[in-house]
Amino acid sequence: MEKFRQTLKETWHFYSRTLTLVTQGSKIYYAWCLTLLLFIIVGFIFYLKQHEAGLIVTNMNDQVSWGLYIANFTYLVGAAAAAVLLVIPSYVYHFKPIKEIVVLGELFAASSIVMAILFVMVDLGRLDRFWHMLPFIGKMNFPQSLLAWDVLALNGYLFLNLLIPVYLLVKFYYRKGPNWKFILPFILASIPMAVAIHTVTAFLYNGLPARPFWNASILAPRFLASAFCSGPAIIIIIFQIIRKVSSYTIAIEDEALFKISELIAYAMFLNLFLLSAELFKEYYSHTVHIASFKYLFEGLHGHNQLVPWIWTAMAMNVIAFFIFLVPSTRKRLTTLNLGCLLIIVGVWIEKGPGFVIPGFVPDPLGEIYEYIPNLLELMVSFGIWAVGLLIFTLLMKVAIPIETGEFSHVAYVERATRFEEEREAWKISSSGKP
Amino acid sequence: MREKDYTRREFMRNLSLTALGSLSLPIFFSACSKQEKEDFLQKHFKEMSEEEKRHVIAKLEQRYLEQYGKKFHISTQEAVPGTLWGYGLELSKCIGCRRCVYACVKENNNSRVSPQLHWIRVLRLKRGNLINLEDSEHYYDPEMVPEKGYVYLPVQCQQCEDPPCVKVCPVHATWKEPDGIVVVDYNWCIGCRYCIAACPYKGRVFNWAEPNIPKEELNPSVHYLGNRPRMKSTVDKCTFCIQRVRSGRYPACVEACPTGTRKFGNLLDPKSEIRYLIENKRVFRLKEDLGTEPKFYYFFES
Amino acid sequence: MNNKTLVIWFGFFSGICFVSFASGASQEFPVSPPPITEGMFPCSSCHASMEVNRQKRELKDEHSNIKLHHAETMRWCLDCHDARNRDKLRLYNGELINFTESYRLCGECHGNVYRDWRAGIHGKRTGYFAGGKRTYLLCAHCHDPHDPAYRPIKPEPPPLKPLEGRAGHFLKNR
């Protein structure tokens, strides 16, 4: 009982101190958080309109029934899976430069998963019936429905990516060594879990014979390859930003970034190779199912909205691949950052709208509807991205001081005792004056 | 950034922030009406006891009376034992007049506009081309039909024996009844539209907003799983007029067709017209290679 | 009446029944009333008192609105309508049938279609398809026997194009 009360006291103490930490910061910090809050509020207002009137206020319809929300969801699940590219070097190969920053990478994965889950939630027509999806309480269609698998996988991965960093950080805050026997199985479990979440997401598209564009066995490997490009690219950019704006001297070494970028080079090669394999199969066999590919890359019956987008994405991906392949461009920060930005945008186009929309064009009865998101969908999407960025910012605001050691219980206790001593001394000196 | 010391002011702030965060959800829920709470907690249709079903039916009939001013009769009639419904369509006779489409809309209380829900879609194909639906025209609007040189292909939910939509629904909101009809519990559907992505025949449509049905055109004899007035953000589809066929009547589209193109019957009854059709005509089904085993048999005479 | 007479009458009636069943003629289909113009039936109200003119000709005095366009080079009115009893139709073997059984006449030439119609897969049936009242529509309900070709009809409107039916919601598409 006493131990439980002690744990409770410690938890509250830690929590309230982190609240103190996140509510104080530099001017840039306040400006950033307030901008994000603004986007969140605007997005929320638009979402309320969608919730009230129904999804008719979006540009989705019976022909293209999934749009920007699910496109973003697919991309973000991939970005979240990329944390595994930090976990493996740190915990399996004990590569020191990455080991310093793996916790931050896992928190990035957690924010990404939160964004992905939010995108699915805003896409649901009846969010008020979400409890129907819960196992045992609702009527979850497990194991037949891939969406049910996805719910379990995503939440499991979120749980792991919150448990592990929080556990390690809290232990470090209290200057207690982590119980590796407890936490290491979770860490090692997060490796296949990362592959699993993105495989499940790929399978939920893959298992639909009605959509020949998606019904390709190559889908799951393609997803993983593109995920392992885009996620680490985001991580590289974010870590450089952190290194710059954080007032704490966090040890994000260039070496860590270069190692990650090497992995991106391999992943991008795989991505391009798998894409070429798909293109060969479709264009050489030339069956009826080439229609979606034609729509995407050439235009179909005069409809060619996505064509400039996909070719831009292809160009970006190929240029980025060469930037990452050649060591001199990879090891120079300017070109590295350019490559990262190219990959982030290029893979977003290829995996988001360039993947979800052609699956619906032409629809099973041969109709072509060109979907473009409208203002409401864009605002809600920005709002959700802002939520993810805000969560990540707040997590970093706590995690980095802990990692660098400046925010710790020991330091707090020392400061508190010193404060008490000074106060006592002042009392004595002030009472000593008649 | 230097940390400030932990004062009483900060403690109060932290406490209030936590309280605000954790109490917002219960406050939100307590703002809902009793009706909304009851709707929120309604069980899945297949798990309701007879008593609960009666209660839900009474509640719905009362609500429809208030909303539309008409006395509805909601049936929960179960599948007739020994029945498996099949549908036949003689393509040589279809003239593409779309009378079936609008008869279905009227019979099944579909939303007319904003959103417009058509459960049947008639495709126009050039002669010489049938299976590649990419060249089909959905929006043909000539003065008179049939037009020379064209074939008309009506498509609706095929009530597959191995339905991909049932497989992918994450909450079991759609399932296959014992008589072969694939139904939706409209109060259970969460509106994720995975089933729409999964259907190879575009048999399912979505209520993108609250349905708009003119009150005078409402059909008050409905089935819970069939044509009762739906709500926004749920999926619906052709149910072979479940409210009619389970009492032995023809579906509305069969009765509306002016050329006698449509046939209907019980596949398990060897003397039914659908069995005669399958045994004596050259029937085919759409997209048979997908393995969905649809129950919709098309055939040509000439 | 003695035993021999009884046997003869009995044999006669059972023979009739046997013959009827053998030819399938008495197979009754519940049909909708035939689509005869108002006031025209019974035809014998006019024709009983008229002389029978078997000359193949174009009708000018009455029934001039009927233009025969159905194997008219090979037949004319009195090949299907019985000359002496205009309330009946005439089969090839001379048998007279009611208008409610006109499908038998059509079936003489259109045997394949007649077979399909009997099975229920040609033409229209309304009502109940099993166990209850299933009403067949006669051939004549859809095909005018004097000019059977289908006329084109005006189609119902096409479905609204995607996003077309969304007026009224405040965020219009592009």
Side-chain angles (χ1 to χ4, degrees):
Chain A
M1 194 59 215
E2 188 54 45
K3 194 126 189 272
F4 181 65
R5 273 185 64 198
Q6 178 70 6
T7 321
L8 224 56
K9 202 157 155 254
E10 282 180 354
T11 314
W12 170 253
H13 175 79
F14 177 75
Y15 167 68
S16 53
R17 284 208 73 209
T18 55
L19 270 188
T20 316
L21 205 61
V22 300
T23 46
Q24 291 164 3
S26 67
K27 283 209 175 56
I28 306 175
Y29 174 73
Y30 284 134
W32 172 245
C33 289
L34 282 171
T35 320
L36 291 178
L37 270 174
L38 190 66
F39 271 106
I40 293 173
I41 292 171
V42 167
F44 186 65
I45 292 174
F46 275 97
Y47 175 70
L48 283 179
K49 174 69 193 174
Q50 180 190 292
H51 189 72
E52 180 214 317
L55 283 156
I56 202 170
V57 295
T58 65
N59 268 356
M60 294 187 272
N61 62 0
D62 289 328
Q63 285 78 2
V64 178
S65 51
W66 280 343
L68 187 64
Y69 298 148
I70 300 293
N72 275 316
F73 160 75
T74 318
Y75 182 71
L76 285 167
V77 174
V84 79
L85 279 189
L86 293 180
V87 171
I88 294 181
S90 332
Y91 292 108
V92 179
Y93 293 102
H94 302 291
F95 184 66
K96 192 157 189 320
I98 292 188
K99 208 166 173 141
E100 300 283 322
I101 54 174
V102 66
V103 165
L104 307 181
E106 284 167 336
L107 288 173
F108 164 75
S111 328
S112 202
I113 288 281
V114 167
M115 280 197 272
I117 292 177
L118 280 176
F119 270 115
V120 171
M121 282 167 65
V122 301
D123 186 65
L124 283 184
R126 304 236 35 150
L127 188 55
D128 50 324
R129 298 181 186 167
F130 76 96
W131 68 272
H132 297 179
M133 276 239 266
L134 302 174
F136 306 113
I137 306 173
K139 210 168 146 73
M140 184 188 247
N141 186 4
F142 186 88
Q144 274 220 318
S145 169
L146 263 303
L147 260 183
W149 281 84
D150 219 8
V151 166
L152 295 175
L154 286 181
N155 284 298
Y157 190 66
L158 177 64
F159 168 73
L160 281 177
N161 275 303
L162 284 177
L163 172 73
I164 298 167
V166 167
Y167 177 82
L168 291 173
L169 287 173
V170 171
K171 282 287 185 186
F172 194 57
Y173 170 78
Y174 281 113
R175 289 287 184 273
K176 292 185 199 165
N179 180 4
W180 288 108
K181 276 221 208 54
F182 167 70
I183 200 66
L184 197 62
F186 285 110
I187 294 173
L188 293 176
S190 75
I191 299 174
M193 201 62 180
V195 175
I197 57 166
H198 217 31
T199 311
V200 167
T201 309
F203 280 176
L204 83 85
Y205 292 107
N206 205 354
L208 303 180
R211 311 280 173 182
F213 183 67
W214 294 338
N215 192 215
S217 344
I218 213 173
L219 212 67
R222 261 194 84 186
F223 263 38
L224 284 168
S226 53
F228 292 159
C229 303
S230 53
I234 302 180
I235 289 178
I236 290 179
I237 300 269
I238 285 183
F239 280 178
Q240 286 178 74
I241 296 177
I242 292 177
R243 195 165 63 179
K244 192 133 191 157
V245 277
S246 175
S247 46
Y248 302 93
T249 43
I250 179 89
I252 300 177
E253 292 174 33
D254 279 353
E255 213 192 321
L257 301 180
F258 296 151
K259 197 54 164 189
I260 298 172
S261 59
E262 213 183 302
L263 299 171
I264 295 180
Y266 301 142
M268 181 46 94
F269 167 72
L270 210 58
N271 189 24
L272 290 173
F273 176 70
L274 293 174
L275 172 66
S276 336
E278 275 224 271
L279 287 175
F280 169 78
K281 178 243 180 193
E282 288 302 337
Y283 275 92
Y284 191 82
S285 335
H286 216 275
T287 63
V288 176
H289 297 318
I290 202 183
S292 300
F293 278 89
K294 272 220 165 101
Y295 171 68
L296 184 60
F297 286 99
E298 297 170 45
L300 192 63
H301 300 310
H303 296 98
N304 54 4
Q305 201 171 272
L306 279 179
V307 174
W309 287 84
I310 194 65
W311 283 108
T312 316
M314 292 291 112
M316 286 180 172
N317 281 350
V318 170
I319 294 172
F321 171 59
F322 283 110
I323 291 179
F324 280 97
L325 189 66
V326 175
S328 52
T329 42
R330 186 174 73 226
K331 293 209 165 115
R332 190 183 310 143
L333 280 180
T334 38
T335 43
L336 177 69
N337 289 337
L338 174 68
C340 287
L341 282 171
L342 287 176
I343 285 202
I344 293 172
V345 177
V347 173
W348 186 86
I349 296 175
E350 187 198 325
K351 205 159 159 186
F355 173 75
V356 172
I357 296 169
F360 290 104
V361 177
D363 82 345
L365 297 182
E367 193 181 342
I368 297 176
Y369 164 62
E370 298 217 83
Y371 163 84
I372 205 174
N374 63 1
L375 180 69
L376 181 141
E377 291 174 273
L378 282 170
M379 286 291 114
V380 174
S381 305
F382 285 148
I384 296 180
W385 275 93
V387 168
L389 286 171
L390 185 64
I391 291 178
F392 184 66
T393 311
L394 297 179
L395 287 172
M396 289 297 104
K397 195 78 172 50
V398 173
I400 292 173
I402 297 183
E403 283 261 301
T404 54
E406 293 208 26
F407 182 71
S408 75
H409 196 65
V410 171
Y412 165 75
V413 165
E414 273 179 12
R415 207 164 26 244
T417 4
R418 200 171 54 237
F419 179 61
E420 273 303 311
E421 286 171 355
E422 284 177 1
R423 217 171 68 151
E424 282 301 317
W426 181 85
K427 264 205 203 140
I428 294 170
S429 61
S430 61
S431 64
K433 280 203 174 89
Chain B
M1 254 348 82
R2 299 283 314 156
E3 287 173 45
K4 295 223 197 88
D5 298 289
Y6 194 56
T7 61
R8 191 176 295 143
R9 180 158 49 93
E10 285 164 345
F11 173 76
M12 287 312 297
R13 178 192 60 199
N14 295 338
L15 188 63
S16 41
L17 275 178
T18 315
L20 187 68
S22 47
L23 285 177
S24 57
L25 218 57
I27 292 176
F28 170 73
F29 273 119
S30 66
C32 296
S33 66
K34 179 167 176 298
Q35 201 189 63
E36 286 167 335
K37 283 203 197 84
E38 230 179 56
D39 282 347
F40 179 72
L41 294 169
Q42 188 174 314
K43 275 196 197 164
H44 190 278
F45 183 74
K46 287 213 276 196
E47 286 175 0
M48 286 189 212
S49 64
E50 285 305 313
E51 177 65 40
E52 286 168 328
K53 279 188 194 170
R54 273 196 293 272
H55 176 73
V56 165
I57 297 293
K59 177 181 77 171
L60 281 173
E61 284 181 351
Q62 175 64 24
R63 202 176 292 168
Y64 291 148
L65 185 61
E66 285 165 18
Q67 203 176 348
Y68 301 111
K70 255 190 181 168
K71 182 84 181 65
F72 273 76
H73 168 68
I74 306 179
S75 146
T76 50
Q77 186 182 9
E78 283 176 3
V80 178
T83 55
L84 190 66
W85 305 120
Y87 209 105
L89 204 137
E90 188 171 350
L91 283 175
S92 34
K93 295 265 181 329
C94 179
I95 55 171
C97 65
R98 294 199 186 101
R99 304 266 189 282
C100 51
V101 177
Y102 290 94
C104 167
V105 166
K106 199 138 188 286
E107 166 75 20
N108 291 297
N109 294 322
N110 284 7
S111 176
R112 307 295 200 259
V113 73
S114 207
Q116 185 197 56
L117 264 64
H118 282 179
W119 287 355
I120 304 175
R121 212 152 171 107
V122 184
L123 310 180
R124 187 187 73 180
L125 298 156
K126 247 179 145 50
R127 280 197 188 261
N129 166 7
L130 186 65
I131 300 301
N132 182 5
L133 299 178
E134 208 183 303
D135 297 317
S136 64
E137 175 58 54
H138 296 223
Y139 302 99
Y140 64 90
D141 191 17
E143 274 301 313
M144 294 292 201
V145 286
E147 304 158 276
K148 230 175 145 61
Y150 290 105
V151 173
Y152 297 92
L153 179 76
V155 182
Q156 62 209 65
C157 170
Q158 312 269 298
Q159 315 291 355
C160 305
E161 193 59 18
D162 182 15
C165 55
V166 168
K167 223 184 340 187
V168 299
C169 175
V171 292
H172 279 299
T174 184
W175 66 92
K176 192 178 61 158
E177 286 270 297
D179 57 354
I181 304 181
V182 179
V183 296
V184 181
D185 181 358
Y186 307 114
N187 285 79
W188 194 257
C189 172
I190 58 171
C192 70
R193 309 185 300 292
Y194 197 10
C195 55
I196 298 181
C199 176
Y201 307 101
K202 206 176 158 291
R204 301 174 78 102
V205 290
F206 191 65
N207 285 286
W208 295 92
E210 204 66 48
N212 289 314
I213 317 171
K215 285 206 176 92
E216 60 277 7
E217 290 184 26
L218 278 168
N219 173 12
S221 66
V222 299
H223 192 285
Y224 183 86
L225 296 170
N227 61 336
R228 64 180 170 111
R230 277 83 65 192
M231 65 289 291
K232 71 170 183 231
S233 301
T234 52
V235 168
D236 51 52
K237 54 186 272 306
C238 162
T239 53
F240 275 0
C241 279
I242 196 173
Q243 69 278 3
R244 284 175 165 233
V245 304
R246 284 187 175 172
S247 357
R249 289 173 64 199
Y250 280 114
C253 46
V254 177
E255 291 205 329
C257 179
T259 55
T261 302
R262 292 168 169 267
K263 330 284 175 195
F264 188 82
N266 178 6
L267 287 165
L268 298 179
D269 173 9
K271 297 202 303 290
S272 65
E273 47 201 62
I274 186 74
R275 282 285 287 268
Y276 181 91
L277 198 143
I278 295 172
E279 285 158 19
N280 289 289
K281 303 293 172 191
R282 281 156 182 70
V283 294
F284 69 93
R285 296 176 293 180
L286 284 181
K287 306 200 190 194
E288 261 182 287
D289 51 311
L290 297 181
T292 49
E293 299 292 321
K295 300 224 194 43
F296 216 93
Y297 294 89
Y298 294 90
F299 64 104
F300 281 101
E301 279 291 274
S302 52
Chain C
M1 161 143 26
N2 56 13
N3 282 349
K4 208 153 89 181
T5 329
L6 211 60
V7 167
I8 291 172
W9 274 112
F10 181 74
F12 178 64
F13 276 119
S14 52
I16 284 187
C17 295
F18 179 78
V19 164
S20 321
F21 277 122
S23 67
S26 69
Q27 184 185 11
E28 268 290 296
F29 290 98
V31 293
S32 272
I36 302 181
T37 324
E38 187 89 21
M40 283 301 208
F41 195 81
C43 315
S44 50
S45 53
C46 287
H47 283 276
S49 54
M50 280 169 68
E51 222 182 87
V52 178
N53 181 354
R54 289 180 189 273
Q55 189 69 29
K56 183 172 177 179
R57 64 195 184 280
E58 195 186 319
L59 299 176
K60 288 220 178 49
D61 296 323
E62 198 52 60
H63 299 305
S64 50
N65 55 326
I66 297 180
K67 294 278 179 282
L68 187 59
H69 197 61
H70 188 188
E72 65 269 20
T73 50
M74 298 186 282
R75 300 179 313 186
W76 82 300
C77 320
L78 293 181
D79 289 316
C80 291
H81 294 272
D82 185 60
R84 277 187 293 266
N85 181 357
R86 295 301 165 92
D87 289 335
K88 301 269 188 190
L89 293 166
R90 188 181 162 274
L91 293 181
Y92 191 71
N93 61 357
E95 190 184 333
L96 298 181
I97 56 170
N98 287 320
F99 279 102
T100 50
E101 269 190 318
S102 54
Y103 49 86
R104 290 177 60 198
L105 176 57
C106 309
E108 288 192 313
C109 289
H110 303 281
N112 288 339
V113 180
Y114 179 44
R115 222 174 290 139
D116 286 345
W117 183 88
R118 282 215 313 263
I121 62 164
H122 181 97
K124 237 173 104 121
R125 293 144 307 292
T126 56
Y128 289 77
F129 56 83
K133 252 170 45 80
R134 173 163 66 173
T135 313
Y136 282 70
L137 259 60
L138 290 168
C139 318
H141 280 113
C142 295
H143 308 277
D144 178 354
H146 307 119
D147 189 356
Y150 259 131
R151 295 275 171 283
I153 56 176
K154 187 159 174 27
E156 296 277 349
L160 296 168
K161 289 248 168 75
L163 300 191
E164 215 182 326
R166 298 191 176 193
H169 292 274
F170 92 99
L171 280 175
K172 284 215 178 205
N173 56 304
R174 75 211 133 103

